[in-house]
Amino acid sequence: MTEDRASEHTPEAFAAWLRAVMERRGYAERGGQGRFARDAGVSENNLSRILRALGTPDVRTLEPIAVFLNVPLIEVLVRACVLKPSDVAALNHARLDPKPITTERAAAELGITSAEGISAFERTVRGLRATEPSSPENPQNNRASG
């Protein structure tokens, strides 16, 4: 996984990153770990496990840490090895595609490639769309019901 730079995303690397952030924010002195846990709203035991690089932290622990540090949760999830950078890239790509998916593209992505299969899929989609309530997003459904 060279595109993920997997060696940079390990529990040890996350622990080192979090320790460095804590130091920069004044949590390096004695009792700093407990104070950070309280200030971030996480369990001291969970924070200790993270700082000792013991496994992958739970999202319920990482979210308050991200909020407290004012760091995007997605960045913390990648650093903590919950998500891979390629997962984030795929999510971003999906979010950046503003066009609604066409029935042809949906069929292709579902592995429907024969002309008969595509035609049947399109008929099914048209039938499902006909059951949707009228809305500005679906002008083809704005006809009067009889």
Side-chain angles (χ1 to χ4, degrees):
M1 286 191 212
T2 54
E3 74 275 357
D4 284 352
R5 298 185 308 205
S7 63
E8 294 178 21
H9 301 287
T10 64
E12 294 78 14
F14 179 62
W17 173 81
L18 185 55
R19 232 182 259 106
V21 170
M22 288 171 61
E23 286 177 23
R24 283 194 307 275
R25 303 235 177 149
Y27 292 97
E29 72 281 349
R30 184 174 179 91
Q33 183 174 315
R35 195 165 48 86
F36 180 87
R38 283 187 301 282
D39 291 350
V42 298
S43 135
E44 199 169 335
N45 287 337
N46 286 342
L47 180 61
S48 177
R49 286 180 50 77
I50 291 170
L51 294 174
R52 289 183 289 142
L54 299 176
T56 303
D58 189 283
V59 175
R60 290 175 298 211
T61 301
L62 296 173
E63 185 175 16
I65 289 173
V67 169
F68 179 67
L69 295 177
N70 197 29
V71 174
L73 177 59
I74 201 89
E75 179 182 339
V76 173
L77 293 175
V78 169
R79 288 182 178 276
C81 310
V82 174
L83 290 175
K84 296 180 292 191
S86 59
D87 296 334
V88 175
L91 288 170
N92 285 336
H93 174 71
R95 228 181 298 138
L96 294 175
D97 189 1
K99 302 178 302 262
I101 189 167
T102 64
T103 53
E104 295 83 8
R105 180 173 155 199
E109 289 187 20
L110 291 168
I112 301 168
T113 57
S114 72
E116 298 83 17
I118 292 170
S119 179
F121 181 75
E122 288 175 340
R123 283 191 307 275
T124 301
V125 170
R126 277 194 304 275
L128 290 169
R129 283 183 177 156
T131 66
E132 292 297 310
S134 296
S135 72
E137 295 83 37
N138 295 318
Q140 70 271 19
N141 293 329
N142 287 335
R143 56 184 142 77
S145 52

